[in-house]
Amino acid sequence: MNIYKQIFKIIKKYDTIVIARHIGADPDALGSQFALKDIILKLFPEKKVYAVGNPASRFKFFGNNEKLDNIDTTKGLLIVLDTPDIKRIDGVSLDNFEYVIKIDHHPIIDKYANIELIDDTACSTSQLILEFVFNNKIDINKEIGEKIYLGIVGDTDRFLHDYTSTKTFYLVNKLLEETKIDFTSLYKFLYQRPISEIRFEG
């Protein structure tokens, strides 16, 4: 059983699932976080799934983060995305969960999860979520596809960086074929900025 199928098996087991990412969230962290939340809820609508972390107002189109006040997670699953070191996990403590999964594309800094999917040849954590989808033959809708696409685009700077591999292009092409997203219309969500910021720059 490959690691993507192992992770899917663990997700099936838990009724309470919390998805975290790093402080100072960027499009990859948010895209992978909210895409994974939507994937789980689409497959298992009865599960309680929370996306946590401080709000990132500039990228609020991805979704709204939640707080875990009065929610018992001691028998729950924590999935940490795009975060190689413990001190940068936003919004949760590892000690409050029964099981922890880490999915990341950065070189290893801390080993802190029960199962760790680390691939530093991947361009982004969003790419790894896309590989999770395809490895488990999961059907995703347009909204999930858009979040994954924006996460990949954000970390590759529109496929400009040299860690954008042929595998990245293969996966994105498959994503576009299966979801029919209008990718050209999505870029505005990444590059919109407050007028005050533009004035300051000027």
Side-chain angles (χ1 to χ4, degrees):
M1 184 183 296
N2 70 26
I3 192 167
Y4 295 101
K5 294 184 184 297
Q6 289 178 44
I7 289 172
F8 193 33
K9 186 177 180 180
I10 295 164
I11 287 171
K12 288 179 182 178
K13 176 182 173 183
Y14 284 90
D15 294 324
T16 299
I17 300 172
V18 175
I19 306 173
R21 36 72 178 172
H22 60 74
I23 57 175
D26 57 15
D28 181 35
L30 293 166
S32 58
Q33 182 183 39
F34 284 103
L36 184 57
K37 177 184 176 181
D38 292 349
I39 289 165
I40 296 170
L41 287 175
K42 184 174 184 290
L43 295 171
F44 311 104
E46 73 283 359
K47 291 185 184 294
K48 303 296 183 185
V49 187
Y50 305 93
V52 299
N54 287 314
S57 57
R58 181 178 170 187
F59 302 119
K60 60 185 177 182
F61 52 86
F62 281 109
N64 295 314
N65 287 112
E66 299 148 306
K67 294 187 181 297
L68 297 177
D69 299 338
N70 303 316
I71 296 171
D72 182 12
T73 61
T74 54
K75 298 295 183 183
L77 168 66
L78 173 64
I79 305 174
V80 183
L81 304 175
D82 202 35
T83 312
D85 46 338
I86 293 173
K87 68 178 183 294
R88 297 193 68 231
I89 300 172
D90 193 0
V92 291
S93 170
L94 300 176
D95 297 334
N96 294 336
F97 295 86
E98 182 176 89
Y99 200 94
V100 181
I101 294 172
K102 174 184 176 185
I103 302 175
D104 190 26
H105 71 116
H106 299 98
I108 296 171
I109 296 178
D110 296 328
K111 287 191 175 183
Y112 55 77
N114 299 92
I115 183 170
E116 301 201 346
L117 166 53
I118 311 296
D119 183 358
D120 60 9
T121 69
C123 71
S124 59
T125 300
S126 294
Q127 176 178 316
L128 296 177
I129 298 302
L130 191 53
E131 293 189 53
F132 170 80
V133 165
F134 291 146
N135 270 271
N136 289 291
K137 297 181 170 58
I138 298 169
D139 290 326
I140 58 173
N141 57 31
K142 181 181 176 184
E143 289 73 23
I144 294 171
E146 288 174 344
K147 290 168 184 173
I148 292 173
Y149 182 82
L150 286 172
I152 292 172
V153 166
D155 250 26
T156 62
D157 195 11
R158 293 173 294 175
F159 309 106
L160 292 175
H161 297 309
D162 59 7
Y163 47 77
T164 306
S165 65
T166 54
K167 185 177 185 180
T168 303
F169 284 115
Y170 167 78
L171 292 166
V172 168
N173 182 64
K174 189 174 180 182
L175 172 68
L176 296 177
E177 286 181 344
E178 294 192 5
T179 60
K180 310 299 182 188
I181 62 175
D182 178 12
F183 61 90
T184 58
S185 68
L186 296 175
Y187 290 102
K188 65 179 182 290
F189 293 113
L190 289 182
Y191 302 113
Q192 284 178 340
R193 290 189 291 167
I195 187 64
S196 58
E197 185 178 317
I198 300 297
R199 286 173 177 156
F200 179 77
E201 190 176 81

